[in-house]
Amino acid sequence: MSITVHAPFAPPVTPGAATSLLDAYRLTTDRFLATPHRTLLGRGTSAEIPDGTGPLTHRVRDALDALRRPGAPAPVVVGSLPFAPDAPPALAVPDMVHWAPPLREDPLIALPVAPDGARPDWRVTEVPTPERYGETVAAAVERMRAGEFDKVVLARTLELTSAREPDLRAMLRRLAHRDPAGYTFAVPSGPDRTLIGASPELLVARQDGRLTANPLAGSAPRSTDLAEDVRRAVALLESPKDLHEHAVVVAAVREALAPYCSRLEVPERPTLVRTAAMWHLSTTVTGELTDPDTTALDLAAALHPTPAVCGTPTDVARAVIAESEPFDRGPYTGMVGWQDADGDGEWVVTIRCAEAEGRTLRLFAGAGVVAESAPEAETAETAAKFRTFLHAVGAAL
């Protein structure tokens, strides 16, 4: 297969260019990311961003500057960062980066995915159980009503195990074909581990001194019945609980980004975005940077974690998460994305994802819990969010 290397911000529209990168993805050696604006395939590793005590943004900048070559495209770092601030990054500068237009503009993405043979016979374990998760939500609601904190995002996992290793390349193709306008990714997340998923949420993007952020908070499951699907969308737009949850996140995004901007535009009311499984309240924030040296990762670090994946106040919500969740989130609710040596890039909130290791997949889903939350509704929301990945792996909850 012949793959053309394109510039990241002006890829020509060529039928098959984006899907060829999707089909060319190779496990363990490649890093794949498709966004609504471009498709990226990083091959090989020129340098890895080390763990260390200094600011990560400085380590990334130093690594990229060291690899600059006169007349060559700006080097790019690709990978993921975990939820925990003290956990090591999984970022690397590929030997070569191939760019293509977005998958949603490639007409070949509409073709059906070729069968991949027999899928694994999954054994599914819920951690915690739905009953225990509901009890945890109820306990958090009680503490919020007592005034301890305002919001916390509580997650649960599905641990899928099989007698044979899953076909991650086939899973990636199914995720991409299911929602080609989203953010689909597959990157190494550690030794013999792969982070794979399809997130609906852009944390922040930077291009030529301008930024875009798109916080999502407040969700409702889709319905296969058109009338019911529309009813759920309208109800979400009018839900006091979800509008409050969304407003908390947008306020935090505004506060985090304002110091970096000479202009920041934040719409007064959210709109709706949809995935194959969910409706989400969405606000698109745009701004112009005061300092041209501020990078996409600088902005992402200032935002992370937003109340959409952690809660508020942040320190209290982190403590509640540590007390309540019987697992390590790892890369879940961290960020995945890319940045070039000029500071441009896109960082996506790592949700609707799984971490693969050998014959095991661990899927993650969470729900924003506020004082008005009902345990049954939050448990159902996590189940709905699992569907994106369960569809891709051929399993059911």
Side-chain angles (χ1 to χ4, degrees), residues 247-270:
V248 168
V249 175
V250 172
V253 169
R254 183 203 304 265
E255 182 179 358
L257 293 179
Y260 296 91
C261 295
S262 58
R263 178 191 62 81
L264 189 66
E265 295 186 0
V266 184
E268 292 185 3
R269 289 188 58 83

Side-chain angles (χ1 to χ4, degrees), residues 70-106:
V76 175
V77 68
V78 188
S80 69
L81 295 170
F83 173 70
D86 55 349
L91 298 174
V93 181
D95 288 326
M96 183 174 293
V97 177
H98 305 281
W99 301 91
L103 283 172
R104 63 179 177 177
E105 294 181 5
D106 189 332

Side-chain angles (χ1 to χ4, degrees), residues 131-154:
E131 294 76 19
R132 178 56 186 155
Y133 179 78
E135 293 169 1
T136 303
V137 170
V141 167
E142 185 175 345
R143 293 175 64 180
M144 280 183 280
R145 290 177 177 173
E148 288 189 42
F149 53 96
D150 298 320
K151 176 184 175 179
V152 66
V153 178
L154 295 175

Side-chain angles (χ1 to χ4, degrees), residues 26 29-31 42-46 92-96:
R26 299 184 304 206
T29 63
D30 291 352
R31 294 166 175 84
R43 182 145 283 173
T45 301
S46 285
V93 181
D95 288 326
M96 183 174 293

Side-chain angles (χ1 to χ4, degrees), residues 286-323:
T286 58
E288 294 180 1
L289 297 175
T290 303
D291 184 350
D293 290 332
T294 300
T295 70
L297 190 54
D298 289 327
L299 299 168
L303 285 168
H304 178 72
T306 72
V309 298
C310 181
T312 185
T314 302
D315 291 345
V316 178
R318 277 193 184 276
V320 174
I321 288 168
E323 297 165 6

Side-chain angles (χ1 to χ4, degrees), residues 87-317:
L91 298 174
V93 181
D95 288 326
M96 183 174 293
V97 177
H98 305 281
W99 301 91
L103 283 172
R104 63 179 177 177
E105 294 181 5
D106 189 332
L108 300 188
I109 197 67
L111 298 177
V113 180
D116 58 322
R119 299 188 185 184
D121 184 13
W122 294 110
R123 180 169 61 87
V124 181
T125 303
E126 300 181 65
V127 181
T129 65
E131 294 76 19
R132 178 56 186 155
Y133 179 78
E135 293 169 1
T136 303
V137 170
V141 167
E142 185 175 345
R143 293 175 64 180
M144 280 183 280
R145 290 177 177 173
E148 288 189 42
F149 53 96
D150 298 320
K151 176 184 175 179
V152 66
V153 178
L154 295 175
R156 62 190 186 106
T157 71
L158 300 181
E159 294 183 357
L160 278 60
T161 56
S162 176
R164 61 180 181 275
E165 290 193 10
D167 186 345
L168 297 185
R169 295 180 71 244
M171 289 181 192
L172 181 65
R173 289 194 296 271
R174 283 194 291 271
L175 287 168
H177 280 258
R178 183 173 169 86
D179 188 10
Y183 300 88
T184 305
F185 52 87
V187 297
S189 55
D192 302 316
R193 298 197 304 274
T194 299
L195 176 66
I196 181 171
S199 174
E201 185 170 1
L202 172 70
L203 180 63
V204 68
R206 175 199 187 272
Q207 180 179 347
D208 298 332
R210 296 183 298 273
L211 71 83
T212 304
N214 186 206
L216 306 182
S219 305
R222 302 286 306 276
S223 173
T224 55
D225 178 78
L226 178 59
E228 174 61 17
D229 196 43
V230 172
R231 188 198 68 78
R232 293 182 184 184
V234 172
L236 179 61
L237 272 176
E238 298 174 349
S239 164
K241 177 261 184 188
D242 290 289
L243 288 170
H244 168 68
E245 180 184 343
H246 188 81
V248 168
V249 175
V250 172
V253 169
R254 183 203 304 265
E255 182 179 358
L257 293 179
Y260 296 91
C261 295
S262 58
R263 178 191 62 81
L264 189 66
E265 295 186 0
V266 184
E268 292 185 3
R269 289 188 58 83
T271 58
L272 287 173
V273 298
R274 63 185 179 185
T275 68
M278 301 294 296
W279 287 105
H280 298 282
L281 292 177
S282 165
T283 294
T284 299
V285 177
T286 58
E288 294 180 1
L289 297 175
T290 303
D291 184 350
D293 290 332
T294 300
T295 70
L297 190 54
D298 289 327
L299 299 168
L303 285 168
H304 178 72
T306 72
V309 298
C310 181
T312 185
T314 302
D315 291 345
V316 178

